[in-house]
Amino acid sequence: MSRPSSDLASFRSRLKTARHIVVLTGAGISAESGIPTFRGAGGLWRKYEATRLATPQAFAANPALVWEFYHYRREVCLSKEPNDAHRAIAECQKRLASEGKDLTVITQNVDDLHHRAGTTGVLQLHGSLYRVRCTSCKKVWDDRNSPICEALADKGAPDPDTLDAEVAKEDLPHCPTCGGLARPHIVWFGENLDPKVLDATQRYLDECDLCLVIGTSSVVYPAAMFAPMLAARGVPVAEFNIEETGATAALGYHFAGPAAKTVPEALKAFESNEQ
Ligand code: BV8
Ligand code: ZN
């Protein structure tokens, strides 16, 4: 198999003619906003065992611990801003729409930074830190309060060595309708993705004629198979990452470097080409 190209001019010419662009993103796009990734240096899953915090079994065993973890991440992300990569994508979406073309962001991120940058119609494969669901009646609602409940105020990150949790279950967030225990509206390991989100994803992938895959290690399924599947169908796929991934060899382009630099460069050139 030939090596992926890093020829920006060739990528730009693809961008000029594409009509249905899909942008797949992972934690690396938010790294320069100051949000930790999962698997790289300083990554959350290097410090914490994912099975103790991001599975339905973990929540059933210790909901206070899981809430402390998600409360901490909510607070961190609320204090951060979208970066130049999020903004360049939002601007590009607007411009394409005015030309009768479309750009759809499909993200594994739960930080809401694409929305906050102004991108519309974002598909959040793994849910959002700012949505909550009742474990009893299944009602889903938005909650951007800081803190989400008084008992979690001033709690830092859980101690990775002890994974102790002090908050009583009755003081955790509860459903305003039925009073049941609330949980983060996040897709945990071993849980199915929302079928509506998956159906919409499939529709966009089916009609996509250019794909950008930005800041993901491409190891978590099903998201990890989307870009290689498109490439196998002959769709040009461009990876933007600070390092190569397991998917790189199967893709048409690889642009090495921090997304906040490489993505605006790639999309900005597209805009000036059009004038
Ligand atoms: C499911 C929310 C059906 C949690 C997350 C098939 C084969 C093998 C395994 C499986 C399979 N199917 C299912 C599985 C199991 C599992 C899975 O994939 N496991 C992996 C680890 C092998 N999948 C599931 O359980 C999924 N459900 O398939 O349901 C089912 C049900 C039961 C049994 C079987 C099947 C649900 C997965 C959802 C998990 N939830 N997120 C939370 O956030 O708290 S996923 C988790 O990884 C993270 O939370 C994150 O959302 C996601 C993806 O990670 P990345 O975004 O890629 O981040 P990462 O740190 O890894 O990489 C960052 C990248 O950025 C790096 O490449 C780095 O180089 C780059 N980077 C860094 N800085 C920059 C940069 N790039 C550019 N610029 C920079 N500045
Ligand atoms: Zn309820």
Side-chain angles (χ1 to χ4, degrees):
M1 192 179 293
S2 63
R3 296 281 307 147
S5 159
S6 56
D7 181 347
L8 202 51
S10 158
F11 171 75
R12 285 174 196 148
S13 71
R14 301 276 196 179
L15 199 47
K16 220 169 160 182
T17 53
R19 302 196 61 82
H20 305 293
I21 297 169
V22 163
V23 179
L24 299 169
T25 65
I29 196 172
S30 299
E32 286 147 280
S33 293
I35 299 175
T37 63
F38 294 92
R39 295 175 183 80
L44 287 173
W45 300 149
R46 291 217 175 174
K47 190 167 164 193
Y48 296 105
E49 221 179 301
T51 50
R52 301 280 304 274
L53 295 162
T55 62
Q57 293 80 7
F59 188 74
N62 196 342
L65 171 65
V66 173
W67 262 121
E68 276 189 20
F69 179 63
Y70 282 95
H71 156 72
Y72 170 70
R73 288 175 55 201
R74 282 166 60 94
E75 298 296 310
V76 168
C77 294
L78 274 179
S79 72
K80 309 296 183 193
E81 297 297 329
N83 65 48
D84 286 349
H86 298 103
R87 282 191 285 268
I89 292 165
E91 280 159 23
C92 186
Q93 183 189 51
K94 216 178 280 172
R95 180 180 176 86
L96 287 169
S98 73
E99 296 166 3
K101 304 173 181 177
D102 55 77
L103 179 155
T104 305
V105 171
I106 302 173
T107 188
Q108 294 168 84
N109 297 345
V110 293
D111 57 27
D112 280 12
L113 289 190
H114 283 296
H115 292 85
R116 285 170 55 196
T119 301
T120 58
V122 179
L123 293 173
Q124 292 176 304
L125 293 169
H126 297 160
S128 164
L129 288 170
Y130 306 101
R131 301 202 96 190
V132 183
R133 177 162 93 235
C134 176
T135 56
S136 296
C137 73
K138 313 299 175 205
K139 174 188 163 89
V140 177
W141 66 97
D142 290 337
D143 188 318
R144 303 190 70 82
N145 291 320
S146 165
I148 187 164
C149 66
E150 274 317 306
L152 289 167
D154 304 324
K155 290 264 171 231
D159 180 337
D161 296 325
T162 61
L163 287 181
D164 271 346
E166 292 153 16
V167 176
K169 197 170 170 182
E170 56 272 23
D171 295 332
L172 294 173
H174 280 75
C175 175
T177 305
C178 80
L181 179 64
R183 59 163 277 182
H185 190 56
I186 296 268
V187 181
W188 285 323
F189 290 101
E191 290 189 313
N192 288 315
L193 279 67
D194 181 339
K196 285 202 200 93
V197 175
L198 268 185
D199 283 355
T201 296
Q202 194 56 55
R203 279 200 307 278
Y204 288 111
L205 294 178
D206 285 346
E207 63 171 18
C208 160
D209 54 11
L210 179 68
C211 174
L212 285 69
V213 52
I214 306 170
T216 175
S217 55
S218 292
V219 299
V220 174
Y221 287 83
M225 64 188 181
F226 298 156
M229 268 170 37
L230 291 173
R233 207 178 79 206
V235 175
V237 180
E239 181 176 57
F240 297 77
N241 202 304
I242 52 171
E243 57 189 30
E244 295 199 357
T245 70
T248 309
L251 309 180
Y253 298 91
H254 177 83
F255 298 107
K261 180 168 179 286
T262 56
V263 172
E265 228 165 51
L267 299 182
K268 191 167 159 229
F270 163 59
E271 288 174 10
S272 59
N273 267 1
E274 286 286 293
Q275 284 159 7

